[in-house]
Amino acid sequence: MERHMADLGFDNKVAIITGAGGGLGRQHALELARRGARIVVNDLGGSLDGVGHADGPADQVVAEIEALGGEAIANTDSVATPEGGEAIVASAVEAFGTVDIVINNAGILRDKTFHNMTPELIDAVIDVHLRGAFYTTLPAYKIMREKNYGRIVNTTSNSGLLGNFGQSNYGAAKLGLVGFTRVLANEGAKRNIKVNAIAPVAKTRMTEELFGAAGDLMAPEAISPTVAWLAHEDVPVSGEVFSVAGGYVARYFIGLTEGWFSPGHTVEDVRDNFEAIRDDSNYDIFADPSGELMKLMGLLSPSED
Ligand SMILES: NC(=O)c1ccc[n+]([C@@H]2O[C@H](COP(=O)([O-])OP(=O)(O)OC[C@H]3O[C@@H](n4cnc5c(N)ncnc54)[C@H](O)[C@@H]3O)[C@@H](O)[C@H]2O)c1
């Protein structure tokens, strides 16, 4: 593994990557391993809808990393239980002594239009994507707090950010991860723990039917440079979300329109001013709720001068 001195390196960094036995997670693992990180390749090895268990995918990616001259171990625990998350982090500590980076990437799909949703379809998807991120990140975060260093990258989706037909379970879990990202960014700031998210679009087993031939323009390896940058020591931001696909990178943000202010207004006033309320030609982007509170205070109790 040859590297130039100017490259962004990950020497002495330990990274847990969930769902790294295939698809995007495998590419993230290879990218970080090539740059010197020691990797826990976690993958349950089930089907796209989260059924079954196999050691093969995680072992295979470890073999690929070792063939590149990198260091990695396999872990096949499920992210979807507290014990699984604990075991994943324990395997990192046992093999490499610590954890510096968590990339929450494991995922499954169980699509159904909402009127056909069942508790079982809801729970399985929320358990892997949303609870799975909690269960894996929590034990790792405690270690990161202790040592004042951590980088966490979560995987959200435009299915939640924008709303995709047939994916109420998945979309809700994925947008839940944006809230998770922002709260952790806020809480982790004082301890040099940075938490960001990607919303990828790429051809994997999850999307190959959906994209058809267009999928060939969206290689899974095109996602990993952004993930690696967000996992790097030098990353300057926290709490942000990036759209990444086939060589394209952009930032998603939550904006609040300038809005309309009229104390004592009626229902009819809301109707009559609805365009002004919704007008997105001017907007604010707040880092946290105190930003909005300041805006509100400025409107509700303007200073004399
Ligand atoms: N491919 C896309 O266009 C796209 C778009 C938006 C979001 N995503 C997200 O990116 C992530 C990676 O997806 P992908 O496209 O590479 O699909 P993928 O199916 O190839 O990868 C997901 C991996 O997660 C593993 N996994 C599933 N449940 C697990 C569990 N409980 N514990 C541990 N591992 C588990 C699977 O075995 C699989 O290897 C997912 O979170 C997905 O929702 C992908």
Side-chain angles (χ1 to χ4, degrees):
M1 281 195 306
E2 279 186 37
R3 283 209 331 266
H4 299 292
M5 292 308 287
D7 286 350
L8 290 164
F10 289 86
D11 288 347
N12 301 317
K13 295 287 188 278
V14 176
I16 292 170
I17 305 171
T18 69
L24 302 181
R26 169 174 167 267
Q27 298 296 340
H28 306 337
L30 292 170
E31 181 75 63
L32 261 63
R34 265 187 228 112
R35 290 169 181 273
R38 290 171 288 170
I39 313 286
V40 175
V41 176
N42 159 264
D43 205 295
L44 181 65
S47 60
L48 180 56
D49 60 355
V51 177
H53 186 155
D55 293 349
D59 287 342
Q60 171 72 37
V61 174
V62 169
E64 285 184 81
I65 289 172
E66 286 173 349
L68 290 167
E71 254 188 283
I73 60 154
N75 170 284
T76 58
D77 288 297
S78 172
V79 299
T81 66
E83 302 74 36
E86 291 280 357
I88 293 166
V89 175
S91 73
V93 172
E94 195 183 314
F96 304 127
T98 191
V99 56
D100 302 286
I101 296 163
V102 174
I103 299 174
N104 288 304
N105 164 83
I108 61 169
L109 284 183
R110 295 198 184 175
D111 294 359
K112 277 275 187 255
T113 45
F114 186 57
H115 60 279
N116 292 315
M117 271 293 160
T118 62
E120 190 277 327
L121 296 173
I122 298 165
D123 288 348
V125 168
I126 290 178
D127 281 353
V128 175
H129 291 277
L130 186 55
R131 292 203 173 90
F134 274 84
Y135 298 146
T136 310
T137 307
L138 186 54
Y141 184 88
K142 289 178 182 170
I143 294 169
M144 293 171 175
R145 270 192 98 239
E146 288 266 299
K147 64 180 192 178
N148 284 300
Y149 187 84
R151 298 288 181 264
I152 297 165
V153 184
N154 297 316
T155 310
T156 182
S157 169
N158 58 12
S159 295
L161 288 156
L162 303 176
N164 201 27
F165 187 94
Q167 295 194 311
S168 56
N169 51 359
Y170 180 78
K174 286 307 203 188
L175 206 50
L177 285 170
V178 175
F180 180 69
T181 298
R182 294 191 60 89
V183 173
L184 257 58
N186 203 329
E187 292 188 12
K190 278 200 294 251
R191 304 274 180 145
N192 191 17
I193 299 172
K194 293 188 176 169
V195 191
N196 292 286
I198 58 154
V201 184
K203 182 180 175 177
T204 65
R205 71 174 186 175
M206 199 176 265
T207 54
E208 57 193 349
E209 277 179 39
L210 185 73
F211 295 150
D216 294 338
L217 300 170
M218 296 184 282
E221 56 267 35
I223 309 302
S224 302
T226 301
V227 169
W229 172 236
L230 297 176
H232 195 269
E233 189 163 359
D234 293 349
V235 70
V237 301
S238 193
E240 299 201 348
V241 180
F242 297 89
S243 171
V244 194
Y248 159 89
V249 188
R251 175 183 168 214
Y252 269 109
F253 56 83
I254 294 172
L256 186 68
T257 65
E258 196 171 307
W260 165 80
F261 179 59
S262 175
H265 61 247
T266 65
V267 182
E268 290 75 18
D269 293 333
V270 176
R271 176 196 59 196
D272 296 341
N273 290 280
F274 212 39
E275 232 174 275
I277 291 166
R278 296 184 62 257
D279 179 8
D280 55 18
S281 50
N282 287 309
Y283 54 83
D284 294 299
I285 305 170
F286 297 119
D288 62 41
S290 68
E292 185 178 19
L293 195 61
M294 297 230 321
K295 171 176 167 172
L296 285 174
M297 292 319 292
L299 284 169
L300 302 180
S301 68
S303 60
E304 300 287 299
D305 43 82

